Amino acid sequence: MSKFNQYKRNTVADIQAFKHKKKIVCLTAYTAPMTEMLDEYCDLLLVGDTVGMVLHGMQDTVGVSLEMMIMHGQAVMRGVKKSLVVVDLPFGAYEESKEVAYQSASRIMKEVGCDAVKVEAFPGIADTIKFLVDRGIPVVGHVGLRPQAINVSGGFKVQGRDQQTKEQILQDVHDAQAAGAFALVLEGVPEHLAVEITRSIEIPTIGIGASKDCDGQILVTDDMLGMFEWVPKFVRKYADLSQAVQAAAGQYQQDVEQGSFPSEKETYSFK
């Protein structure tokens, strides 16, 4: 029996039930080795379009393609045992129409084998969410700061600080729930708004730059691990792997240049 069959992976129903039982622990994942390390500690793993910035050196997520999301989603599925896996629909893969969104989402579900997709809110997204859910594709919504829309919003800015944007976010939230989204990511919104949303809807809220009172939290794993010198205000660094990697590379350079690596222990002998 495959080792993967020995574990019961979280389902959409499990994540929904956690709203009333426990805080939902979420992180991003893009590769099989990292997935294997994170899986034990997470309820949900997101194959986020942040992969473009984290692994491919892009300035934002706009340039991420559907093929990239499928490739990294497949890698994550090779390493997961327990967590629910959600894959972002990237910019340009779902905005044109609900039919285009279905083509993109169904391709991800079939080629990746993941459990759900995530979409950012925009006018008319509720119709798209309903269209996907009605056809068997579970959906996570994303409201507040929308990384795919930074060229319209003027950058990575907190949303919902004025009455107009607050009302728009509340409308997006309730529309997404009514359309059938099973969870919502709240990004870059003031604490009082995140609390209001979390208390007013039945589906779980997952905060990133929101409130500790959200039903769960998510961070970009590489930010949390300290792989970058600068991180957003809402990130807590739980490690400093950037310094560790640089120290290891520096020691390796020294050992190679001085001829101490490889040593006899690391060299094959003739038999």
Side-chain angles (χ1 to χ4, degrees):
M1 181 175 66
S2 168
K3 65 177 181 179
F4 297 107
N5 295 329
Q6 299 174 29
Y7 298 87
K8 178 186 179 298
R9 293 199 27 243
N10 285 331
T11 66
V12 167
D14 292 328
I15 299 300
Q16 289 182 305
F18 288 158
K19 181 177 177 77
H20 306 293
K21 295 179 181 179
K22 67 181 289 295
K23 291 288 188 179
I24 304 168
V25 181
C26 314
L27 285 169
T28 61
Y30 319 112
T31 66
M34 184 63 76
T35 298
E36 291 177 354
M37 288 185 277
L38 300 176
D39 186 42
E40 177 182 353
Y41 308 100
C42 293
D43 302 305
L44 182 154
L45 289 172
L46 173 66
V47 186
D49 56 6
T50 44
V51 67
M53 303 170 71
V54 173
L55 295 187
H56 295 274
M58 297 180 177
Q59 293 300 306
D60 53 48
T61 64
V62 174
V64 174
S65 68
L66 188 63
E67 287 71 26
M68 288 171 63
M69 297 308 304
I70 290 172
M71 178 181 67
H72 288 285
Q74 290 169 338
V76 168
M77 292 305 298
R78 295 185 190 109
V80 73
K81 298 177 183 176
K82 176 179 76 74
S83 302
L84 186 93
V85 176
V86 180
V87 177
D88 269 344
L89 281 179
F91 178 74
Y94 63 103
E95 297 90 343
E96 181 179 349
S97 68
K98 56 183 182 291
E99 290 81 10
V100 168
Y102 177 72
Q103 291 174 3
S104 300
S106 61
R107 184 179 170 193
I108 286 177
M109 295 291 288
K110 287 190 290 186
E111 295 186 32
V112 173
C114 59
D115 305 291
V117 299
K118 181 169 74 66
V119 297
E120 292 186 8
F122 65 87
I125 191 61
D127 290 340
T128 297
I129 292 174
K130 185 177 188 306
F131 194 82
L132 297 180
V133 173
D134 286 348
R135 285 153 182 79
I137 299 177
V139 177
V140 176
H142 183 136
V143 302
L145 194 165
R146 294 172 47 211
Q148 293 176 6
I150 60 167
N151 291 318
V152 174
S153 61
F156 295 93
K157 299 179 180 179
V158 175
Q159 303 294 311
R161 280 179 163 166
D162 59 81
Q163 191 62 30
Q164 180 179 356
T165 56
K166 175 183 176 181
E167 291 177 359
Q168 182 60 60
I169 289 172
L170 288 171
Q171 186 67 54
D172 291 340
V173 164
H174 291 287
D175 287 350
Q177 176 177 249
F182 74 88
L184 281 176
V185 171
L186 306 183
E187 180 169 3
V189 300
E191 182 176 26
H192 73 276
L193 179 55
V195 171
E196 179 180 346
I197 292 170
T198 300
R199 293 176 179 175
S200 67
I201 63 175
E202 298 177 359
I203 60 178
T205 58
I206 299 170
I208 177 168
S211 164
K212 66 180 181 181
D213 291 313
C214 290
D215 298 304
Q217 299 292 327
I218 188 167
L219 286 175
V220 173
T221 297
D222 297 69
D223 287 344
M224 180 268 289
L225 293 177
M227 290 296 291
F228 303 106
E229 182 177 346
W230 180 89
V231 295
K233 173 185 177 180
F234 57 77
V235 173
R236 179 180 296 178
K237 286 188 177 183
Y238 286 85
D240 191 358
L241 295 193
S242 176
Q243 291 296 319
V245 169
Q246 291 181 65
Q251 185 63 56
Y252 172 71
Q253 175 195 28
Q254 178 178 316
D255 291 349
V256 170
E257 291 179 347
Q258 293 180 351
S260 63
F261 176 83
S263 65
E264 183 178 350
K265 180 178 65 173
E266 294 138 350
T267 304
Y268 296 104
S269 59
F270 178 76
K271 291 185 179 179

